[in-house]
Amino acid sequence: MKADSVEALFNLDPLQLQDQDIFKGVEALRRMRSEFLAAGGETGAKTPGKPAAKAPKKTLSKEELGTLNLDSLGIKIV
Amino acid sequence: MSTEGNSSFSQKSQNLQLAWDSTSLGLLKECPRKYYYSIVLGYQGSGDNVHLAFGQLYHGALERYDHSRATGADHDAATVSAVRYCLTETRVALANGGWRPRDWGDSNKNRFTLVRTVVWYLEQFRDDPARTLILHTGKPAVELSFRFETDFKSLAGETFWLCGHLDRVVEFNNAVYGLDRKTTKHTLYSDFIEEYSPDNQMSLYDIALQVVYGIRGQGIIVDKAQIAVGFSRFERGFLPKTDEQRVEFYADTAFWIGQAELFARKNYWPMNDKACGNFGGCVFRGICARSPQVREMWLKGLYTKRMWDPLQVRGDI
């Protein structure tokens, strides 16, 4: 049994699908994404006048990555 | 007792929940009456909840991917395992030996868009700088059930617990974050992260990260997916947290759980009638709109029962 398209991926009994059948469907979905992007589609968020939230630049040093004082939070690890 | 058999509730004090997750805590904050109907009595709207089911399958598929990668599979093989999970979990066996695809009757969230979203997400984050932490057991830190004891006590001296499930714990830019994945049908804007700051669930996950790992996490990353009929799009947002915010959330949580004990002792669950229209309308609005003496009859007729027990650990794979 060969699934050589997205349609086949969804129409065939999943229990009968081989990994290579599924992979062909995955590749078809990836092509669909590429075509969507090529047609001007965006797979990131729309920007309503604000830049996207970025990762904080500051990173913690090894010293700062110490154990949090859980007692101050009144929390016990169990 | 309506909570009989629910391990998250007290055996001494009727209707008093001792183990709290973000869902039950969030419902209590939103509306005590809604919390009572949904968690204490266990009522839910009849029919398949597409958003819950879709979200669980989406999480489950990406969990398979993470596990496969952690055990040495390459990107393609791990993607296949995630897609196989989606396809088999949406296969409904028929009495005649055949099968049919699961159908929620939703044009945005369906079997096809589930698989497409999983594949496109994994393409979007193919070279993800956020790397899954590997536990000392060798398993990836994904879908981790957590529970921890607080120092809050009930009037009967019982301990309250906080619990839940972390989607994923990652190392990103030399810092540790919890990572949660969300889906929506609505347009995804780049400032979406603001809707999670503050947020009951994210704050609890952030505290859990500190407790589970005993390290100073930076906060929470949210990967949100918009599921449209013709495409899926994604955005990543960051929620950095300070210790002061953690202490504040913890103190607020103590207050809310104290309120829950008060409601339980009096068996009085007030409505927050300013929340009835939230999120498209409360599922119990039609009940609360009726006269008190007929509500129970309508609840039994229109709703099904299930038990919400946050102490039930999700299956490990």
Side-chain angles (χ1 to χ4, degrees), chain A residues 13 19 43 46 59 73-74, chain B residues 84 91 124 173 190 234 250:
Chain A
D13 185 344
D19 280 355
T43 55
K46 285 182 172 295
T59 58
L73 292 175
Chain B
R84 180 179 290 285
R91 177 190 188 276
Q124 184 96 352
N173 206 13
S190 57
F234 312 91
Y250 188 70

Side-chain angles (χ1 to χ4, degrees), chain B:
Chain B
M1 188 183 292
S2 56
T3 57
E4 191 172 348
N6 190 330
S7 62
S8 68
F9 275 78
S10 168
Q11 299 301 308
K12 297 178 181 175
S13 307
Q14 188 164 6
N15 295 338
L16 177 60
Q17 187 171 357
L18 296 177
W20 291 79
D21 66 346
S22 63
T23 298
S24 44
L25 188 59
L27 283 168
L28 176 74
K29 291 177 179 179
E30 183 185 346
C31 173
R33 182 67 59 86
K34 185 176 183 180
Y35 165 81
Y36 175 65
Y37 287 152
S38 180
I39 303 295
V40 178
L41 297 184
Y43 283 112
Q44 63 177 359
S46 56
D48 222 353
N49 184 328
V50 58
H51 305 298
L52 180 63
F54 190 96
Q56 287 175 337
L57 291 168
Y58 181 64
H59 282 86
L62 297 177
E63 182 187 356
R64 263 69 185 174
Y65 175 88
D66 290 328
H67 274 281
S68 296
R69 290 306 303 267
T71 53
D74 64 17
H75 175 70
D76 287 343
T79 302
V80 166
S81 72
V83 170
R84 180 179 290 285
Y85 170 82
C86 294
L87 294 172
T88 53
E89 290 296 312
T90 52
R91 177 190 188 276
V92 179
L94 300 176
N96 63 7
W99 73 284
R100 65 170 176 79
R102 189 171 175 182
D103 181 12
W104 296 287
D106 190 294
S107 59
N108 288 73
K109 292 186 173 180
N110 53 54
R111 195 168 184 252
F112 169 72
T113 61
L114 171 68
V115 174
R116 183 196 66 203
T117 303
V118 167
V119 171
W120 286 26
Y121 174 86
L122 294 174
E123 286 303 293
Q124 184 96 352
F125 294 103
R126 185 174 188 140
D127 299 310
D128 193 351
R131 298 183 179 281
T132 303
L133 286 189
I134 304 298
L135 303 175
H136 68 277
T137 59
K139 290 188 174 183
V142 296
E143 280 293 306
L144 298 172
S145 294
F146 67 85
R147 69 174 74 168
F148 55 90
E149 192 179 342
T150 71
D151 61 352
F152 320 147
K153 300 284 184 187
S154 72
L155 293 174
E158 298 166 291
T159 298
F160 288 103
W161 296 69
L162 294 173
C163 54
H165 308 279
L166 276 165
D167 276 358
R168 189 177 170 214
V169 182
V170 299
E171 183 274 330
F172 183 94
N173 206 13
N174 294 321
V176 176
Y177 290 87
L179 189 149
D180 196 61
R181 291 158 172 146
K182 295 288 185 189
T183 65
T184 181
K185 295 200 293 189
H186 302 294
T187 301
L188 182 58
Y189 291 106
S190 57
D191 58 354
F192 82 93
I193 198 68
E194 291 175 5
E195 68 188 84
Y196 295 103
S197 183
D199 177 82
N200 171 70
Q201 182 184 25
M202 300 308 159
S203 298
L204 177 57
Y205 287 3
D206 171 66
I207 283 191
L209 183 62
Q210 320 305 313
V211 175
V212 172
Y213 293 98
I215 58 172
R216 187 181 294 276
Q218 282 283 76
I220 300 293
I221 296 173
V222 181
D223 281 354
K224 192 153 187 177
Q226 178 193 346
I227 321 296
V229 173
F231 64 88
S232 301
R233 62 162 56 113
F234 312 91
E235 189 63 41
R236 173 168 287 176
F238 293 80
L239 293 169
K241 295 285 184 183
T242 67
D243 280 354
E244 290 74 16
Q245 287 174 305
R246 289 165 180 144
V247 169
E248 181 181 52
F249 174 76
Y250 188 70
D252 284 353
T253 301
F255 169 81
W256 283 108
I257 290 178
Q259 289 294 108
E261 182 165 23
L262 179 68
F263 299 146
R265 289 179 70 84
K266 292 181 176 294
N267 195 25
Y268 179 72
W269 307 87
M271 293 181 199
N272 175 10
D273 55 11
K274 293 299 289 180
C276 302
N278 291 354
F279 314 116
C282 176
V283 68
F284 297 109
R285 191 171 201 170
I287 298 298
C288 295
R290 298 180 188 277
S291 192
Q293 73 273 21
V294 299
R295 285 180 192 147
E296 186 176 351
M297 178 186 72
W298 283 98
L299 274 169
K300 288 179 178 174
L302 297 177
Y303 296 78
T304 56
K305 276 204 168 189
R306 59 94 174 89
M307 184 186 295
W308 186 265
D309 185 351
L311 290 179
Q312 294 298 314
V313 178
R314 287 183 189 171
D316 197 5
I317 61 172

